[in-house]
């Protein structure tokens, strides 16, 4: 068993410190996506394996259902003399980072840099380390970490969080397009060569500098069974020195996760350092490949779906969500797979919630319901009920993933 | 006829420079409002005149209709196995500034001061004078002035604008409550003595220092018929020296309105000066009394309603909206009267729009429709259709006025 090294702590803190950067991008899209004008998906099926094809079929089915639902709602309202808010016409399409133009990729990273240049809304009395508007999102995540993972709000919170981040990029930093995501299993064999992380000027910067190091050891979550999980070391480990974020300063964290050293003021203090990354194929190949994502999509109830996505405690797996975390050390969200999964059986899944308002129900808390309110603190947005974030095509949202 | 004096130009620019401050507050509520727990309104009717009582009856009717509609929608969704987003339970109640506690008044003015202390989102390349988050709202109003008055978007734009301002106060400045408004006709005889403008520490500051001056002469709007309108001088005219905003620095404006001198960079340049005010009973008594507001509420179609609210060009009246402008030199919005007016006949008024996308259709533009998109630039919010801001009890809104 590998010991817990200082480096593995660093790896863990990056999970949070760089999360907003990544939450906005990574939605575990398990398929490549050349979309025709009619909305159908053309895949080079001969080069895709069986699991990739199965995922592709799921996506097509989800998309068909979503469009049919939108059309039916438009028709229903029309009969009442009303008009629908979200229709095929104004639906926003979130695309894979590799599927948007280089110009649009640059516009996106420019907007993130802009957010990192603006003054924080978080009062320094609350989070002395929150210096920028970008940090507001990091601080909110640190604040709420014990309530938004392995909890009933996990999926809804990350959906709203990503949307509010997108709105901030638009309103505060002139970004025009929908937020892009990372087509994850497509690049699982070599994330460091993907358009998003290859380190060129159109990427979201590359890997950290290579520093020989052991893998990361994850202790079991508090109160959960099982052995530590050992993750293979990546191809980086040091400071990021390429692409738009080569000079990025990480201000907040680390937070108190297993094996991690808590930063000043409970992770909310000022703790400036470079952005480190350590991605490589090891973790991605194991946890974020087509089969792993297909496994998630095949779950029949929300409890299993969200548990497998995060990795069932004691199972030895960190799930695709965890795989995303440890591949690129950011928060991969999970909104895309949730959105697809919901659309595969809307009557049973649209409003399905499972879990309580605390991480693995520690400390014990109330069940999350449609009435449970979430908020994003100083990051932005409003107090909003889980009820109002269950569909990506109902106000305030109007988007799908392609 | 009084000549246009330098002072009257000053009066006019204040219309815009202090607008956000006021748009957030003034909704022309034509009734006092002691609200019982059941939501019914108890008025000391014996002290109210006939017009005030008639307005009071309108408000009660509007409120009853709104609650009935909410209940019916909740019931309808329940039958479909769905749940309503906006119900009696989570409805926000916007109250008259004079009806909230002194503590809450202070919390409100503190939040506005906070917004004035934060760095602007508007790029200086666009508006060099926009220094603070508060200025973002002013700059957006200056930018869009030719499209949001005497246009089809007038009412919807101001509704959304006020709401986004309220959200900014909450998210960025820790304000907790709903945004208060000014019960206007209640204080028409003496606005300078009202809780909102009496200049004490719980007010939104008082009048400007008294400087003897002539009234303001308003030239007809471009292309509109009629004689200039002469407004009585107020009891101030100089810098505001009392209350929370006694040190406020106005950065933007003036804008190019009739009789006003355009500030640098088309009103978007940096032009620091004190906050001036010139309110007094003259204008308020004439244009914002109970009878004037009742007259608006009695209009049967949206075209007449919004025209009378702003003052029909050539009629010699500036309407209650204009009366609000020139009483306190800020933008009084009009959302409250619109909300009530809609609720008096929802089937005909809920989605009624009249007008084009430019001021008095100059230059000629397309008709405003439910599909017309508005946005608030760097102030905040998202691109949103008129369709989605027609009801105050549908997402993204969930509020009423009491």
């Amino acid at each position: 068993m590998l010991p817990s090294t200082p480096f593995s702590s660093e790896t863990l803190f990056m999970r949070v410190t760089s999360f907003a950067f990544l939450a906005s991008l990574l939605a575990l899209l398990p398929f490549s996506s050349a979309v025709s004008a009619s909305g159908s998906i053309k895949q080079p099926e001969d080069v895709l394996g069986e699991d990739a094809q199965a995922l592709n079929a799921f996506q097509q089915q989800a998309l068909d259902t979503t469009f049919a639902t939108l059309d039916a709602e438009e028709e229903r309202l029309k009969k009442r003399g009303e008009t629908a808010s979200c229709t095929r016409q104004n639906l926003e399409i979130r695309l894979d980072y590799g599927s948007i133009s280089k110009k649009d990729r640059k516009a996106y990273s420019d907007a993130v840099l802009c957010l990192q240049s603006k003054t924080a809304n978080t009062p320094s009395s609350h989070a002395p380390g929150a210096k920028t508007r970008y940090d507001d999102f990091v601080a909110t995540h640190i604040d709420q970490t014990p309530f938004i993972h392995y909890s009933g709000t996990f999926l809804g919170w990350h959906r709203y969080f990503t949307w509010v981040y997108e709105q901030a990029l638009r309103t505060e930093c002139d970004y025009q397009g929908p937020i892009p995501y990372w087509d994850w299993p497509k690049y699982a064999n070599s994330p460091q060569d993907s358009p998003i992380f290859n380190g060129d000027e159109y990427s979201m910067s590359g890997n950290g500098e290579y520093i020989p190091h052991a893998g990361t050891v994850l202790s079991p979550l508090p109160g959960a069974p099982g052995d530590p999980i050992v993750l293979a070391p990546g191809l980086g480990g040091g400071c990021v020195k390429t692409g738009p974020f080569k000079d990025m300063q990480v201000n907040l964290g680390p937070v108190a996760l297993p094996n991690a050293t808590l930063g000043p003021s409970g992770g909310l203090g000022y703790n400036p350092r470079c952005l480190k990354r350590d991605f490589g194929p090891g973790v991605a190949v194991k946890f974020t490949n087509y089969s792993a994502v297909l496994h998630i999509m095949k779950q029949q109830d929300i409890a299993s779906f969200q548990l497998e996505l995060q990795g069932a405690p004691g199972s030895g797996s960190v799930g695709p969500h965890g795989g995303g975390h440890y591949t690129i050390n950011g928060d991969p969200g999970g909104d895309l797979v949730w959105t697809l999964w919901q659309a595969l059986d809307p009557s049973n899944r649209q409003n399905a919630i499972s879990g309580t308002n605390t991480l693995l129900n520690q400390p014990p808390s109330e069940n999350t319901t449609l009435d449970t309110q979430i908020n994003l603190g100083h990051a932005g947005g409003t107090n909003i009920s889980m009820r109002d974030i269950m569909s990506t095509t109902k106000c305030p949202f109007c988007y799908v993933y392609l």
Side-chain angles (χ1 to χ4, degrees), chain A:
Chain A
M1 195 66 55
L2 292 168
S4 169
T5 65
F7 178 74
S8 55
S9 300
E10 288 294 289
T11 305
L12 278 160
F13 84 68
M14 285 191 286
R15 163 175 176 164
V16 169
T17 51
S18 56
F19 88 100
F21 178 71
L22 300 155
S24 53
L25 297 162
L26 309 179
L28 311 184
L29 184 66
F31 350 81
S32 70
S33 44
V35 181
S36 73
S38 68
S40 71
I41 297 163
K42 287 178 189 156
Q43 294 274 0
E45 300 208 3
D46 49 348
V47 302
L48 291 176
E50 223 171 84
D51 289 341
Q53 287 183 43
L55 276 169
N56 187 29
F58 272 147
Q59 190 192 27
Q60 185 64 61
Q61 183 188 336
L63 206 60
D64 290 346
T65 306
T66 301
F67 279 121
T69 306
L70 281 178
D71 292 348
E73 180 68 2
E74 194 174 356
E75 194 57 33
R76 186 185 72 81
L77 288 173
K78 207 173 171 183
K79 283 179 188 159
R80 294 174 57 186
E82 298 174 22
T83 35
S85 291
C86 184
T87 65
R88 277 178 193 255
Q89 279 67 48
N90 64 352
L91 195 63
E92 296 205 339
I93 313 288
R94 292 185 177 175
L95 294 170
D96 162 40
Y97 196 86
S99 300
I100 65 175
S101 70
K102 285 187 171 175
K103 192 181 153 210
D104 289 347
R105 293 177 206 172
K106 184 73 167 40
Y108 182 72
S109 64
D110 280 349
V112 175
L113 286 170
C114 157
L115 213 59
Q116 292 176 345
S117 75
K118 288 185 175 279
T119 309
N121 288 332
T122 311
S124 61
S125 57
H126 177 70
K131 301 296 185 191
T132 75
R133 276 290 290 138
Y134 180 89
D135 290 342
D136 286 334
F137 288 82
V138 181
T140 289
H141 197 284
I142 291 177
D143 269 344
Q144 302 196 22
T145 287
F147 314 107
I148 57 167
H149 296 102
Y150 294 101
S151 69
T153 56
F154 164 60
L155 293 163
W157 191 94
H158 283 83
R159 171 176 288 171
Y160 190 56
F161 183 82
T162 306
W163 185 80
V164 168
Y165 183 70
E166 178 187 58
Q167 304 311 311
L169 292 173
R170 289 183 187 174
T171 304
E172 303 175 37
C173 289
D174 277 331
Y175 181 66
Q176 305 290 322
I179 201 162
Y181 63 86
W182 187 26
D183 190 338
W184 204 357
K186 186 175 174 184
Y187 304 110
N189 290 334
S190 181
Q192 67 278 9
D193 296 325
S194 68
I196 196 169
F197 289 119
N198 66 16
D200 73 17
E201 62 179 307
Y202 306 107
S203 72
M204 295 300 280
S205 282
N207 210 350
E209 286 194 307
Y210 180 63
I211 295 175
H213 60 286
T216 301
V217 181
L218 304 175
S219 300
L221 286 166
D227 293 323
I229 300 172
V230 184
L231 302 176
L235 304 171
C239 296
V240 169
K241 293 285 180 65
T242 58
F245 300 95
K246 62 185 166 55
D247 299 320
M248 178 178 167
Q249 178 178 296
V250 173
N251 295 326
L252 290 153
V255 295
L257 291 174
N259 291 0
T261 310
L262 185 63
S265 303
L268 294 171
Y270 186 50
N271 189 16
R273 55 213 187 277
C274 72
L275 171 68
K276 291 183 179 179
R277 284 189 183 145
D278 179 35
F279 50 73
V283 176
V285 163
K286 187 165 180 188
F287 295 110
T288 72
N289 59 59
Y290 285 106
S291 304
V293 180
L294 182 62
H295 173 71
I296 305 306
M297 291 300 292
K298 283 183 171 169
Q299 302 303 311
Q300 290 300 310
D301 61 88
I302 187 67
S304 322
F305 173 80
Q306 67 190 21
L307 192 64
E308 295 292 325
L309 181 59
Q310 297 169 95
S315 69
S317 168
V318 295
H321 180 88
H325 267 304
Y326 299 112
T327 295
I328 41 74
N329 295 309
D331 189 326
D335 187 44
L336 185 145
V337 279
W338 184 34
T339 302
L340 293 186
W341 187 82
Q342 287 181 303
L344 293 176
D345 184 5
S347 57
N348 288 311
R349 297 178 181 179
Q350 189 68 70
N351 286 327
I353 292 177
S354 171
T356 73
N357 295 330
T358 44
L359 190 148
L360 294 176
N361 199 29
Q362 296 303 321
S365 61
E366 293 195 344
N367 282 335
T368 303
T369 70
L370 290 173
D371 289 321
T372 301
Q373 295 259 321
I374 65 163
N375 75 74
L376 304 179
H378 294 282
T382 66
N383 287 335
I384 195 164
S385 304
M386 284 292 290
R387 175 188 332 289
D388 293 328
I389 51 180
M390 298 305 285
S391 166
T392 67
T393 58
K394 284 188 179 159
C395 180
F397 309 126
C398 185
Y399 67 83
V400 291
Y401 292 93
L402 276 191

